[in-house]
Amino acid sequence: MRTSPAVRRKLISVAAVSAALLTAATAQVAVAQDTAPGAAAVPTAQTEAAPGAPAERLIVGYKAGAAEARSDKAAEADAEAKGEEAGESLDFRRRLGTGAALVDLGDRLTRSDVADVVAEYQADPQVAYVVPDRLNTPQADPNDTDYAKQWDLFEATAGMNVPGAWPTSTGSGVTVAVIDTGYVAHSDLAANIVGGYDFIADTAVSVDGDGRDSNPADPGDWYLANECGSGIPAGNSSWHGTHVAGTIAAATHNGKGMAGIAYGAKISPVRVLGKCGGYDSDIIDAITWASGGTVSGVPANSNVAKVINMSLGGDGACTSATQNAVNAAVSRGTTVVVAAGNANDNVANHSPGNCNNVISVAATNRSGAKASYSNYGSLVDISAPGGQTSTGTANGIYSTLNSGTRTPSSESYAYYQGTSMATPHIAGLAALMKAAKPALTPAQIESAIKSNARALPGACSGGCGAGLADAAKTVQAVAGGTPTGTTFSSSSTAVAVPDAGSAVESPITVSGRTGNAPSALQVAVDITHTYRGDLVIDLVAPDGSTYRLKAASSSDSADDVRTTYTVNASTEPANGTWKLRVQDTVAQDTGRLNNWSLTF
């Protein structure tokens, strides 16, 4: 016997396998021209384990009367004979439970070689069927009915690349404390809610008629005009904590509503915000209790959180009192994620986003630029999608809510914007990381999120941290390997596109992948130009092959090219230096290539 096929088997990328599972039923492309005449009719789907990855084993079903259907020795002899006819060396490996034979194709063959073997089996009247032995992987895209509204999770330009993390981690086993307004019942969240606590001591703030207790239900935080300060108009209940919680861990694959980032995690609602806000003293106790510390008069926490989300803030420096609570939580192993704030100001002026030992989160809009309201500055650690509804409601962040204007009514969903919405994206990511590698410390989680971020697709003046968080890249970095859905980005340095000049190129070096690029390679492009019809855009593969993304058009007078192209690059090795080539073919208009990315 030869060396075990498992020893020499080349791993197939998850991205390629997923694409194969989606396209195998319809693929009817003929094999390469050097295929033997008898194999010319063999569909590509019968020769590949995934697009661009030839099959390494075949499953052969024999008709009931065939000797090979009953005898392993006969099946082995048949494999050897078929191999001789095709000019290859085949091995019968074993009998499947259905009676079919598993046949190994030997050292790595080309697609046309596999087609030769398949054709030999197909020509045998004793063979009922022959199919490739395909590698299957978990399918992460959820069936939640409103998933398409969650651009912040999956869009190539400014999404956080969350689906690519799900095959590795869903956050299972991790509890996230949402220190906020509490929780209003919602069927798309209920399965992931565990015990929390109401820390609001002041009954004027709590609204629920009592002080601290074990019921973190949100009764509503509405207020009358001037009730929260002179000149402040009346406001309806926000159900803010429920919206935040949905982003982190809404139930997923349940055929309704939305998908949570860490949908395998649990949410512990910890109520500190009521009418007109909440006090530092309550927030400090909430941080302490949620992370497993002791608070006088409050029962021990049976759902200790390894991640705390605080989508809240106020003005001024981080006080010693708050900083001490954060430090103690981190020392207990809990990662604290906080909103940078919504004042379009330096976060240094806003607490707790300016505290040490926290992950301070700025918000980006749907184009990947800093959201107009988001705070900024050197104390910001990372950016995440926070939405901007001023450019359209659907450009906000979609999550769980309630329709009641004052008290709870029917459950609902809505688009919100804010660093409050960006923060749970990072808390959810932290939960995915902690589930993938439980030994991670808060410092390691923060470092990995920063080091695996990609350049901000849009503009930010003043400082937006390490860039836009990339969930798939970050989770896989701590778990090991390269994920499905990994995004590789160009340098953040813009490249000028000369008017009616020669083509310019911007490179991206891809490494750490196996096999070929997918049949649905995503190429996200951001080009500023005053007459985009002048532009010709090509993707150049590592071997120099070109794929036309956009041709020139004299009738296309619109500005800019900000879109994502899909390219069938399944014949190209994934690793290597890819280039985006841009040329302005007509005089009088100028432009620049801001950035671009490849998502495998």
Side-chain angles (χ1 to χ4, degrees):
M1 295 295 287
R2 301 193 305 277
T3 303
S4 167
V7 174
R8 62 178 180 266
R9 193 164 314 284
K10 182 177 181 181
L11 295 176
I12 300 170
S13 72
V14 176
V17 172
S18 297
L21 295 178
L22 292 171
T23 61
T26 57
Q28 296 293 325
V29 181
V31 297
Q33 292 182 356
D34 62 350
T35 302
V42 177
T44 299
Q46 289 185 255
T47 67
E48 295 185 329
E56 297 177 343
R57 300 188 298 190
L58 297 175
I59 300 172
V60 182
Y62 290 95
K63 294 180 180 177
E68 295 87 351
R70 304 183 302 274
S71 166
D72 289 356
K73 186 174 182 179
E76 183 174 4
D78 189 46
E80 291 178 358
K82 295 292 195 296
E84 287 183 10
E85 290 294 326
E88 306 296 342
S89 179
L90 310 185
D91 263 348
F92 167 78
R93 303 303 300 168
R94 61 184 172 86
R95 183 79 57 180
L96 304 187
T98 59
L102 182 64
V103 176
D104 185 76
L105 298 179
D107 293 331
R108 186 169 178 82
L109 306 184
T110 66
R111 190 173 60 190
S112 59
D113 293 336
V114 177
D116 290 346
V117 176
V118 170
E120 291 295 334
Y121 276 107
Q122 288 179 330
D124 186 341
Q126 296 301 313
V127 172
Y129 61 85
V130 55
V131 295
D133 187 15
R134 298 187 307 193
L135 177 65
N136 293 261
T137 62
Q139 298 301 285
D141 284 351
N143 63 6
D144 302 72
T145 53
D146 293 344
Y147 177 64
K149 299 177 180 179
Q150 294 182 266
W151 63 267
D152 47 307
L153 303 192
F154 58 80
E155 279 193 355
T157 300
M160 215 175 77
N161 200 14
V162 173
W166 287 333
T168 303
S169 176
T170 63
S172 180
V174 177
T175 296
V176 181
V178 175
I179 297 179
D180 212 292
T181 64
Y183 165 68
V184 61
H186 200 294
S187 63
D188 210 8
L189 258 176
N192 286 335
I193 298 294
V194 296
Y197 207 81
D198 180 356
F199 275 92
I200 302 178
D202 190 327
T203 55
V205 177
S206 70
V207 184
D208 59 3
D210 55 29
R212 293 182 170 182
D213 57 36
S214 60
N215 181 11
D218 185 350
D221 56 356
W222 62 275
Y223 49 88
L224 300 173
N226 301 312
E227 194 173 8
C228 295
S230 178
I232 297 177
N236 292 331
S237 291
S238 67
W239 317 114
H240 189 272
T242 300
H243 195 280
V244 167
T247 297
I248 298 170
T252 304
H253 295 292
N254 62 345
K256 65 172 290 183
M258 59 172 293
I261 290 171
Y263 59 82
K266 300 299 181 184
I267 296 291
S268 174
V270 183
R271 187 167 181 251
V272 298
L273 302 179
K275 186 185 289 287
C276 303
Y279 288 102
D280 279 356
S281 54
D282 292 340
I283 293 169
I284 289 166
D285 280 351
I287 294 169
T288 303
W289 181 84
S291 59
T294 300
V295 176
S296 178
V298 179
N301 185 2
S302 58
N303 297 294
V304 174
K306 289 304 176 184
V307 181
I308 286 175
N309 186 104
M310 291 200 295
S311 292
L312 50 79
D315 295 339
C318 179
T319 66
S320 297
T322 298
Q323 187 66 66
N324 288 342
V326 168
N327 291 346
V330 170
S331 72
R332 287 188 283 268
T334 299
T335 298
V336 182
V337 187
V338 301
N342 302 332
N344 189 27
D345 185 25
N346 196 309
V347 69
N349 302 319
H350 302 271
S351 176
N354 55 10
C355 292
N356 296 322
N357 274 342
V358 303
I359 301 178
S360 185
V361 186
T364 52
N365 59 28
R366 197 166 181 173
S367 67
K370 184 186 85 69
S372 60
Y373 53 79
S374 178
N375 285 349
Y376 51 83
S378 61
L379 295 181
V380 169
D381 293 300
I382 194 71
S383 293
Q388 189 159 328
T389 55
S390 62
T391 59
T393 300
N395 292 336
I397 304 300
Y398 188 80
S399 191
T400 46
L401 211 69
N402 191 278
S403 64
T405 57
R406 290 193 173 186
T407 58
S409 183
S410 58
E411 65 179 44
S412 64
Y413 301 85
Y415 292 97
Y416 273 9
Q417 68 171 21
T419 54
S420 282
M421 284 58 256
T423 304
H425 284 76
I426 301 302
L429 173 53
L432 294 177
M433 297 166 69
K434 191 71 175 176
K437 191 172 183 179
L440 288 173
T441 66
Q444 290 170 331
I445 287 174
E446 178 178 345
S447 177
I449 290 173
K450 290 179 177 180
S451 63
N452 289 285
R454 58 192 174 96
L456 215 63
C460 172
S461 59
C464 286
L468 181 63
D470 187 312
K473 187 178 179 183
T474 305
V475 169
Q476 204 62 31
V478 300
T482 304
T484 301
T486 298
T487 297
F488 295 84
S489 301
S490 65
S491 166
S492 58
T493 303
V495 178
V497 179
D499 187 25
S502 58
V504 296
E505 294 181 341
S506 172
I508 291 177
T509 299
V510 175
S511 62
R513 302 200 64 82
T514 58
N516 286 3
S519 59
L521 178 65
Q522 302 295 294
V523 186
V525 176
D526 182 351
I527 299 174
T528 300
H529 197 276
T530 50
Y531 196 105
R532 68 186 182 199
D534 293 355
L535 298 178
V536 174
I537 307 173
D538 293 302
L539 176 67
V540 184
D543 66 357
S545 301
T546 59
Y547 297 83
R548 178 59 49 88
L549 304 181
K550 180 191 175 300
S553 172
S554 60
S555 61
D556 187 0
S557 61
D559 293 344
D560 307 334
V561 180
R562 291 190 176 95
T563 190
T564 299
Y565 300 97
T566 300
V567 176
N568 182 354
S570 58
T571 62
E572 306 288 347
N575 289 336
T577 299
W578 298 73
K579 298 176 182 177
L580 191 73
R581 180 180 294 161
V582 183
Q583 185 171 16
D584 185 329
T585 60
V586 181
Q588 294 185 346
D589 292 274
T590 60
R592 68 178 183 275
L593 169 58
N594 299 309
N595 55 69
W596 68 289
S597 65
L598 294 170
T599 300
F600 288 80

